[in-house]
Amino acid sequence: MHCPFCRHPDSRVVDSREADEGQAIRRRRSCPECGRRFTTVETAVLSVVKRSGVSEPFSRDKVIKGVRRACQGRDVDNDALVLLAQQVEDTVRASGSAEIPSNEVGLAILGPLRDLDEVAYLRFASVYRSFSSAEDFEREIDELRRHQRGEDTVSSTA
Ligand SMILES: [Zn+2]
């Protein structure tokens, strides 16, 4: 790692600590040439591969942006979106692959969004699954009802 001040090609790590709940490592470095200190952040790269083949780093902010659009006018606060994006990242990381197809990110969003807000879920699903007719909505709403009944059975036996 080059020193950002004097471009010396080497630096010494003086401190390392976990950041962002273990998903990043911050290192304090010291330049043996000019003596100045700087910080580097190391994260494991998780890329999302779009249908076009282009890949970009996974971003919770992007997840939040996409879901927020579907939540317009709905009573969903920012904390809930932040939590949802965290859940999506956990799901995507748990897949064990460093290159995630973008449709899997969409799938990972649908589950928690369904539990968060039904209308937002239907909006998001209609774009993600490219609904083309009212029947597509009907089918999805049937699924939603089945899911709710399933949950009700679980909670009533608990
Ligand atoms: Zn230096």
Side-chain angles (χ1 to χ4, degrees):
M1 181 69 65
H2 287 241
C3 169
F5 304 107
C6 72
R7 313 298 299 164
H8 186 74
D10 198 17
S11 62
R12 196 166 57 86
V13 175
V14 291
D15 183 44
S16 300
R17 60 186 61 188
E18 281 193 359
D20 199 14
E21 292 171 343
Q23 302 197 342
I25 302 255
R26 296 176 75 86
R27 297 189 204 282
R28 281 298 282 165
R29 292 171 180 271
S30 153
C31 173
E33 185 64 27
C34 70
R36 282 192 261 196
R37 294 192 167 192
F38 55 99
T39 302
T40 55
V41 179
E42 190 179 304
T43 54
V45 174
L46 190 62
S47 350
V48 176
V49 185
K50 296 189 192 174
R51 225 165 296 181
S52 61
V54 176
S55 72
E56 59 181 25
F58 175 85
S59 148
R60 269 183 252 171
D61 285 344
K62 275 217 174 109
V63 170
I64 291 174
K65 245 174 147 177
V67 174
R68 184 177 282 136
R69 212 173 304 135
C71 289
Q72 245 167 45
R74 303 296 300 169
D75 190 18
V76 176
D77 64 19
N78 202 52
D79 288 351
L81 292 180
V82 168
L83 186 67
L84 182 141
Q86 180 65 59
Q87 286 174 305
V88 170
E89 179 169 351
D90 290 347
T91 306
V92 164
R93 283 190 188 275
S95 75
S97 168
E99 300 222 317
I100 318 293
S102 58
N103 66 319
E104 275 186 34
V105 178
L107 263 183
I109 290 172
L110 285 173
L113 185 56
R114 183 171 54 192
D115 296 330
L116 192 61
D117 189 278
E118 290 179 0
V119 171
Y121 167 77
L122 284 171
R123 285 177 185 156
F124 188 88
S126 72
V127 175
Y128 168 69
R129 296 199 168 124
S130 345
F131 287 5
S132 56
S133 66
E135 284 78 45
D136 288 335
F137 278 94
E138 266 173 23
R139 208 175 311 124
E140 195 65 46
I141 290 168
D142 283 348
E143 287 266 315
L144 200 57
R145 295 282 169 262
R146 260 200 298 279
H147 175 73
Q148 283 165 340
R149 279 199 296 273
E151 275 195 345
D152 289 343
T153 319
V154 171
S155 60
S156 64
T157 52

